[in-house]
């Protein structure tokens, strides 16, 4: 089998997309190996799950760094490099990255966003799609560039918005397709 790309996943909470990536990477022909999970929040539920599944996981708490975002990111960057990470996958990482970090990983960092970009960058994507009367919602995997949720689109998946949907119901429907799309998109990215 060809060499697997070494992937680091950044989370802030639940980590269900990270779990989907780790599960997918258990397949013998998957072109990536999740070698490190990092969280900016020590209480992130995904950290314990990662460790229980044999993936090194570390919290690098942003709080002690105060407003020095760059210093926090230097610590993230050092941990990623120490682990030999080649590709960074953001999976519910809830801090906006500085241009320094984005540049350091340019072309090697991807994100999953719960909307059909370029529609609804930022937060509250599902509520905004419902309020707009959209017939479809979905998720996007994209390359990370300086503008938040603005990088080139790598893959998208759609779900219908049904009468009576509220934000939570729609979020759950989208999340289900996120868990399929992200492993597929990461695999394609790593094979390219
Ligand atoms: C997902 O909806 C993802 O698209 C967005 O944040 C959420 C993270 O969920 N970026 P999880 O932590 O992966 O469960």
């Amino acid at each position: 089998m060809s060499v697997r790309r070494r992937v680091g996943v950044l989370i802030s909470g639940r980590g269900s997309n990270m779990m989907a990536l780790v599960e997918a990477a258990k397949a013998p022909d998957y072109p990536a190996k999740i070698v490190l999970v990092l969280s900016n929040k020590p209480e992130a539920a995904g950290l314990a799950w990662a460790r229980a599944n044999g993936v090194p996981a570390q919290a690098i708490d942003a709080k002690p760094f105060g407003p020095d975002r760059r210093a926090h990111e230097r610590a993230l960057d050092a941990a990623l490099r120490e682990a030999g990470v080649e590709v960074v996958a953001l999976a519910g990482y809830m801090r906006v990255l500085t241009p320094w970090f984005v540049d350091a990983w340019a072309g090697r960092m991807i994100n999953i966003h719960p909307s059909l970009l370029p529609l609804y960058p930022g937060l509250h994507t599902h509520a905004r799609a419902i309020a707009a009367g959209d017939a479809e919602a979905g998720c996007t995997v994209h390359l990370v560039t300086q503008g938040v949720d603005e990088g080139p689109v790598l893959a998208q998946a759609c779900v219908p918005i049904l009468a009576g949907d509220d934000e939570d119901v729609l979020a759950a429907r989208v999340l289900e397709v996120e868990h399929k799309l992200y492993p597929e998109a990461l695999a394609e990215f790593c094979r390219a």
Side-chain angles (χ1 to χ4, degrees):
M1 204 196 69
S2 54
V3 179
R4 293 177 178 222
R5 305 294 297 280
R6 296 175 68 82
V7 174
V9 184
L10 267 53
I11 65 170
S12 295
R14 183 175 61 178
S16 70
N17 278 290
M18 173 276 293
M19 294 173 195
L21 297 179
V22 170
E23 290 294 347
K26 289 179 180 170
D29 58 344
Y30 196 77
K33 179 179 159 80
I34 313 304
V35 296
L36 181 64
V37 173
L38 292 178
S39 170
N40 62 316
K41 292 191 185 265
E43 67 277 16
L47 288 172
W49 185 94
R51 288 184 198 115
N53 281 266
V55 181
Q58 198 184 327
I60 301 183
D61 193 353
K63 279 206 203 85
F65 294 93
D68 193 348
R69 305 176 73 81
R70 174 99 175 251
H72 176 246
E73 289 177 354
R74 270 199 297 271
L76 292 177
D77 185 71
L80 292 167
R81 289 178 196 281
E82 171 87 7
V85 166
E86 303 170 273
V87 171
V88 174
L90 304 180
Y93 188 70
M94 296 305 285
R95 269 169 85 85
V96 174
L97 296 163
T98 67
W100 172 76
F101 191 87
V102 172
D103 276 354
W105 291 93
R108 299 185 299 149
M109 178 155 60
I110 65 176
N111 180 44
I112 185 155
H113 181 75
S115 80
L116 296 171
L117 292 173
L119 291 176
Y120 316 124
L123 298 175
H124 310 298
T125 55
H126 307 301
R128 286 154 71 197
I130 292 169
D134 294 353
E136 284 188 323
C139 52
T140 303
V141 177
H142 65 95
L143 262 179
V144 177
T145 55
Q146 301 292 347
V148 174
D149 301 326
E150 272 182 18
V153 170
L154 300 173
Q156 285 188 314
C158 298
V159 299
I161 299 180
L162 304 176
D165 275 357
D166 65 17
E167 194 176 349
D168 293 343
V169 169
L170 181 57
R173 192 177 303 126
V174 172
L175 194 63
E176 220 172 289
V177 294
E178 290 186 44
H179 294 162
K180 282 192 63 191
L181 185 74
Y182 209 6
E184 287 168 9
L186 177 65
E188 201 167 313
F189 186 71
C190 288
R191 283 194 188 103

